[in-house]
Amino acid sequence: MNDIDEIDRRLVVALQRDAGQSLEVLGETVGLSRNACWRRIRALEQANIITGRIVTVDAARLGFGLQVFMQVRTNAHAPDWLEKFSNATRAMPEIQGVYRMSGDLDYLIRARVADMAGYDALYQRLIRKVPLSDVSASFVMEEIKETAQLPL
Amino acid sequence: MNDIDEIDRRLVVALQRDAGQSLEVLGETVGLSRNACWRRIRALEQANIITGRIVTVDAARLGFGLQVFMQVRTNAHAPDWLEKFSNATRAMPEIQGVYRMSGDLDYLIRARVADMAGYDALYQRLIRKVPLSDVSASFVMEEIKETAQLPL
DNA sequence: ACTGAAACAAGGTTAAC
DNA sequence: GTTAACCTTGTTTCAGT
């Protein structure tokens, strides 16, 4: 498949740290001219290896001080349950991650809310949309580490 | 504290979706001139509300096809255990998230590895660094949703 | 096929209002 | 907050390896 060489790897590392730096300084760090960098980055984007460019924000200072993980179980084995669950969670903006886990019919949800009242509202909305046999919530007391960087 | 008005809010929303767009089009979407946008964005950065600018990547295509959540328990109540645990996990680049959870002495780790062998290596390295009484791993079979956007 | 150098266009930054 | 000048930086062109 689309394999990546050492220079591309270093570019991705640099851009995962800071996507705001100029092609000039990127070129210096990877040892290439500025438009060689530019073409490689464009190629990485077109190959969907680089998928986007976003800002990171301080969630707490924007009113989302509480992070919660919800472990979800269902007893509904209907074939369309997963689709309904997927659509429902995708449509709920507080939910940042939804994962189908190993261990049959076990789902994990990661969400950000303002506070406990916000969590309860989220919970109520979710169970009204999808039948869930069991939901248990664990709240994040302290974020010890949080990064999107991959160890390339 | 540093409160944010409607326009700042819309700017953050737009930049969380795509930080690559020009000040011109940002200005059109929020209804402001291009350097009014520029000054607001700079203010948001200096206030550490916008904390950075990064690229998103396809983890699987970069060789990190397996995402794992590790639930960690310890019986070591020594006062410096948490510090040792924090330092160890922060220094391990496969680990993307470490959270102290509600329910005493319960930690959650989110990590990305290539495969099961990669997970085992991570696990071995972790328990060699920090005494852990119990570690249970759950593997992500399917990523149903994954975003960093906040519902502003 | 991929590079670097220079010309060019676009967008970020500053100054003035 | 705006508009307009400025100048860094992204983008295209082109020729060399």
Side-chain angles (χ1 to χ4, degrees):
Chain A
M1 211 180 261
N2 253 315
D3 247 63
I4 270 183
D5 70 3
E6 175 65 17
I7 292 178
D8 283 345
R9 208 186 51 75
R10 272 189 267 169
L11 275 174
V12 174
V13 168
L15 290 172
Q16 282 226 101
R17 238 193 294 274
D18 177 12
Q21 52 195 321
S22 71
L23 292 171
E24 201 98 45
V25 318
L26 274 172
E28 286 166 17
T29 59
V30 305
L32 235 57
S33 75
R34 96 174 134 174
N35 61 4
C37 283
W38 178 78
R39 251 177 306 181
R40 290 176 96 108
I41 292 170
R42 196 174 60 109
L44 289 166
E45 287 169 343
Q46 289 179 342
N48 283 317
I49 290 167
I50 291 176
T51 54
R53 205 172 273 259
I54 62 170
V55 295
T56 55
V57 299
D58 187 326
R61 299 187 64 179
L62 287 168
F64 294 87
L66 184 58
Q67 189 168 187
V68 56
F69 287 88
M70 301 164 72
Q71 197 162 314
V72 170
R73 287 188 177 79
T74 182
N75 48 20
H77 289 241
D80 64 333
W81 181 88
L82 176 54
E83 198 192 333
K84 212 154 79 172
F85 177 70
S86 298
N87 291 337
T89 51
R90 287 202 189 103
M92 298 173 74
E94 303 95 331
I95 295 179
Q96 296 200 312
V98 179
Y99 314 96
R100 183 163 62 82
M101 306 299 292
S102 59
D104 204 23
L105 287 182
D106 206 354
Y107 295 86
L108 187 66
I109 295 176
R110 182 171 56 85
R112 285 189 191 272
V113 290
D115 47 29
M116 275 295 167
Y119 166 71
D120 193 49
L122 172 66
Y123 168 77
Q124 297 290 347
R125 249 185 304 141
L126 180 61
I127 62 172
R128 198 169 304 127
K129 285 196 189 178
V130 195
L132 304 172
S133 65
D134 185 36
V135 179
S136 69
S138 299
F139 298 93
V140 173
M141 299 285 102
E142 183 187 358
E143 224 174 81
I144 296 168
K145 180 176 186 174
E146 178 80 281
T147 181
Q149 276 179 243
L150 294 176
L152 299 165
Chain B
M1 210 179 263
N2 253 316
D3 246 63
I4 270 184
D5 71 2
E6 174 66 17
I7 292 177
D8 283 344
R9 208 187 51 75
R10 272 189 268 168
L11 275 173
V12 173
V13 168
L15 290 171
Q16 281 225 102
R17 236 194 294 275
D18 177 12
Q21 53 194 320
S22 71
L23 293 171
E24 201 96 43
V25 319
L26 274 173
E28 287 165 16
T29 58
V30 305
L32 235 58
S33 74
R34 111 174 121 170
N35 63 3
C37 283
W38 179 77
R39 253 180 300 185
R40 278 171 176 266
I41 292 170
R42 198 175 58 112
L44 289 166
E45 288 168 343
Q46 289 178 341
N48 282 316
I49 290 167
I50 291 176
T51 54
R53 204 171 276 258
I54 63 170
V55 295
T56 56
V57 299
D58 187 327
R61 299 187 65 179
L62 286 168
F64 294 86
L66 184 58
Q67 189 169 186
V68 57
F69 287 88
M70 301 164 72
Q71 197 161 314
V72 170
R73 287 187 178 81
T74 180
N75 48 19
H77 289 243
D80 63 333
W81 182 88
L82 176 53
E83 198 192 332
K84 212 155 80 172
F85 177 69
S86 299
N87 290 337
T89 50
R90 287 202 190 102
M92 298 173 74
E94 302 95 330
I95 295 179
Q96 296 199 313
V98 179
Y99 314 97
R100 184 163 62 80
M101 307 298 294
S102 59
D104 205 23
L105 288 182
D106 207 353
Y107 295 85
L108 187 66
I109 295 176
R110 182 171 57 82
R112 286 190 191 270
V113 291
D115 48 29
M116 276 295 167
Y119 166 71
D120 192 50
L122 172 66
Y123 168 76
Q124 297 290 345
R125 248 184 307 142
L126 180 60
I127 62 172
R128 198 168 304 129
K129 285 196 191 181
V130 194
L132 305 172
S133 65
D134 185 35
V135 180
S136 69
S138 299
F139 299 93
V140 173
M141 299 284 101
E142 183 187 359
E143 225 174 79
I144 296 168
K145 180 177 186 174
E146 178 81 283
T147 181
Q149 279 180 242
L150 294 176
L152 299 165

